Amino acid sequence: ITVNDVAPSGLTYTGDPYTLTKDSPFYSGVPSIGGGLVDTWTVSPTLPDGLTLNPSTGEISGTPTDITTSAVYTVTASNTGGNESIDVTIEVNDVIPSAISYNPNAFIETIDVEMTLASPIFTGTGGIITSWEVDPALPTGLSLDTSSGEISGTPTLLSLQTTYTVYANNTGGSSSTTIDITVIDE
């Protein structure tokens, strides 16, 4: 005679889907399950680098070391009576970019005269910047390099002093700073 346990049932993970940050500890992937006592926990495919599934408790934890896009991982709880599976979604974003600034942060430019290149200054440590944006659009003739954050060009129209917000972006979020630009006549 073989007596099997009651199969696991009602498997859930509170907080799913999980959006994690690279190099930041994660300990909130705790399952809730009914039915019989779980003998083994497995996951497929392999979790992002730095994360593990505790084979005794089913807890997902660790410190992710790589950035990953949103992906689905199937966690299975098993015992002699059967198994219960659930799909868990995990995404690992980069650390928000470092604080940025420009020095100077106010520019008075002359129409039809090339401006001195303005390069961003970084304060602290942060993730890799994947894009740059500015709002509102810079004066006609000036541009923001979307890969380096440098502002350059030759203004071709007069412009009153205007405040512009420059954003450094990655999957973790944005850092921003403001600059003022005025374009005057010769």
Side-chain angles (χ1 to χ4, degrees), residues 36-49:
L37 185 65
V38 176
D39 293 330
T40 60
W41 292 85
T42 58
V43 63
S44 179
T46 303
L47 292 170
D49 288 345

Side-chain angles (χ1 to χ4, degrees), residues 27-61:
Y27 300 103
S28 300
V30 180
S32 174
I33 192 162
L37 185 65
V38 176
D39 293 330
T40 60
W41 292 85
T42 58
V43 63
S44 179
T46 303
L47 292 170
D49 288 345
L51 295 180
T52 59
L53 175 75
N54 184 311
S56 300
T57 66
E59 179 181 10
I60 299 169
S61 63

Side-chain angles (χ1 to χ4, degrees), residues 29-103:
V30 180
S32 174
I33 192 162
L37 185 65
V38 176
D39 293 330
T40 60
W41 292 85
T42 58
V43 63
S44 179
T46 303
L47 292 170
D49 288 345
L51 295 180
T52 59
L53 175 75
N54 184 311
S56 300
T57 66
E59 179 181 10
I60 299 169
S61 63
T63 302
T65 57
D66 292 324
I67 300 165
T68 64
T69 58
S70 182
V72 175
Y73 301 88
T74 303
V75 178
T76 303
S78 304
N79 67 18
T80 57
N83 58 59
E84 174 81 355
S85 294
I86 187 171
D87 288 339
V88 176
T89 303
I90 299 174
E91 175 179 10
V92 181
N93 290 325
D94 202 351
V95 177
I96 293 175
S98 298
I100 59 168
S101 63
Y102 290 83
N103 187 10

Side-chain angles (χ1 to χ4, degrees), residues 100-102 117-122 129 131-133 143-152 166-168 179:
I100 59 168
S101 63
Y102 290 83
L117 182 69
S119 298
I121 300 167
F122 303 96
I129 297 168
S131 67
W132 291 83
E133 298 173 67
S143 63
L144 173 74
D145 184 316
T146 57
S147 62
S148 69
E150 295 174 332
I151 300 171
S152 63
V166 179
Y167 300 91
I179 58 171

